[in-house]
Amino acid sequence: MSTPGTLFAEGTKALVTGASRGIGAAVAIALAEHGCDVALNYRSSSARAEEVGERIRALGREALLLKADISDEAQVAAMYKELKTAWRSLDVAVLNSGVTADGHLAAMSATKWQEVIGTNLTGTFYTAREATKQMYASGGAIVLIASTSGIAGRAGQANYAASKGGVISLAKTLSYEVAPRGIRVNVVAPGFIDTDMVKKVPPAQMKKALQAIPMGRMGTPAEVAQAVAFMASPAASYITGKVLTVDGGMIPN
Ligand SMILES: NC(=O)c1ccc[n+]([C@@H]2O[C@H](COP(=O)([O-])OP(=O)(O)OC[C@H]3O[C@@H](n4cnc5c(N)ncnc54)[C@H](OP(=O)(O)O)[C@@H]3O)[C@@H](O)[C@H]2O)c1
């Protein structure tokens, strides 16, 4: 039973990758506010992940910290094993970890290409595969974080846009495969959101980007988090294989 005003039944078990900061941290906190216990994956920001964990515990929920590089298959397998030992079930997985390494394609090194594809696409493959296996018997909900760049493309982001377009195709395909098992798979595609990631965008480019947003501003991690919480929750029980853009109206869809 969920308490009034929350989206999830008390004690729902959720995993969020890349939960140490930015969108992932906001998602983890929103899920906890809506009734979930949350496992927080991160790559290296231990202190920041611990801060997010403390905020979740202060809400009266459980928080579990899981350090793993999602681009490493063995580390992902070990992380899910630890999760299964701690909590026998997994109800929600928000696969959010991601990186950028922007530059025009003509001058892009193979290293920059592989770095972004390795984390954003292959890492999402590893984490989605393990989440699916853990949800096979009892069902669940998976939300993958893509980007408007993965739908509309964006100059200087060939590696990133290709990785996020791949994430969308992966999600749609997986949604068909696991629907009979009671697992829903959806995508949230943010536009420009105020996190460390966009701090890397040069000011002139940022100014131009903001002019292309009908709402005239960046989004906040909390605004993305509410959309993710909805897609992951029983309130979205008949929605699967879909992409929800959270972008202030930036792309036509
Ligand atoms: N911000 C935007 O405008 C925007 C727009 C569209 C889509 N997105 C997507 O939203 C997601 C979150 O972005 P953000 O802006 O919140 O980014 P962020 O502030 O840079 O945070 C990235 C998070 O991902 C984690 N991470 C990165 N590489 C990892 C790896 N190999 N293994 C495990 N964790 C890893 C980081 O962990 P550490 O702290 O330990 O490094 C951190 O928690 C990404 O998938 C991004 O592509 C963002």
Side-chain angles (χ1 to χ4, degrees):
M1 273 278 286
S2 59
T3 31
T6 65
L7 284 167
F8 295 90
E10 183 101 5
T12 297
K13 303 295 188 212
L15 164 70
V16 181
T17 68
S20 48
R21 53 200 168 91
I23 293 170
V27 168
I29 289 161
L31 292 179
E33 285 169 345
H34 280 293
C36 296
D37 295 326
V38 191
L40 309 163
N41 157 262
Y42 63 100
R43 181 184 44 184
S44 53
S45 307
S46 306
R48 293 182 76 171
E50 191 48 60
E51 275 172 38
V52 179
E54 279 311 312
R55 286 186 63 181
I56 289 170
R57 290 181 197 114
L59 291 165
R61 309 288 170 206
E62 250 185 81
L64 187 67
L65 267 64
L66 299 170
K67 184 175 192 292
D69 180 341
I70 63 146
S71 68
D72 182 315
E73 189 174 14
Q75 288 189 37
V76 171
M79 173 177 86
Y80 275 89
K81 198 170 167 209
E82 194 180 334
L83 186 60
K84 200 170 182 177
T85 306
W87 296 340
R88 279 193 304 279
S89 63
L90 179 65
D91 307 299
V92 168
V94 179
L95 307 181
N96 160 82
S97 293
V99 292
T100 51
D102 291 357
H104 281 260
L105 183 80
M108 187 175 286
S109 66
T111 308
K112 249 185 172 180
W113 174 268
Q114 293 295 356
E115 180 196 339
V116 172
I117 297 291
T119 296
N120 298 5
L121 183 55
T122 310
T124 300
F125 156 62
Y126 294 146
T127 49
R129 184 180 59 183
E130 297 309 310
T132 302
K133 286 198 272 185
Q134 290 209 3
M135 291 176 181
Y136 242 52
S138 48
I142 301 174
V143 179
L144 292 87
I145 307 302
S147 163
T148 49
S149 296
I151 303 168
R154 182 160 206 95
Q157 290 201 312
N159 49 1
Y160 183 76
S163 73
K164 294 299 190 178
V167 164
I168 291 169
S169 297
L170 183 157
K172 288 187 174 182
T173 302
L174 183 60
S175 74
Y176 290 123
E177 293 177 2
V178 297
R181 295 221 166 234
I183 305 171
R184 295 184 302 105
V185 186
N186 288 293
V187 175
V188 169
F192 275 93
I193 309 300
D194 193 5
T195 70
D196 294 345
M197 187 173 271
V198 296
K199 291 195 174 79
K200 290 199 262 174
V201 179
Q205 249 185 57
M206 201 59 229
K207 196 175 163 201
K208 218 171 136 193
L210 285 174
Q211 283 164 355
I213 302 172
M215 286 180 70
R217 64 170 177 88
M218 276 195 275
T220 66
E223 287 174 312
V224 179
Q226 292 305 321
V228 173
F230 165 71
M231 284 303 236
S233 77
S237 56
Y238 199 51
I239 303 176
T240 195
K242 298 296 177 286
V243 182
L244 176 59
T245 51
V246 181
D247 68 348
M250 187 170 69
I251 65 163
N253 223 16

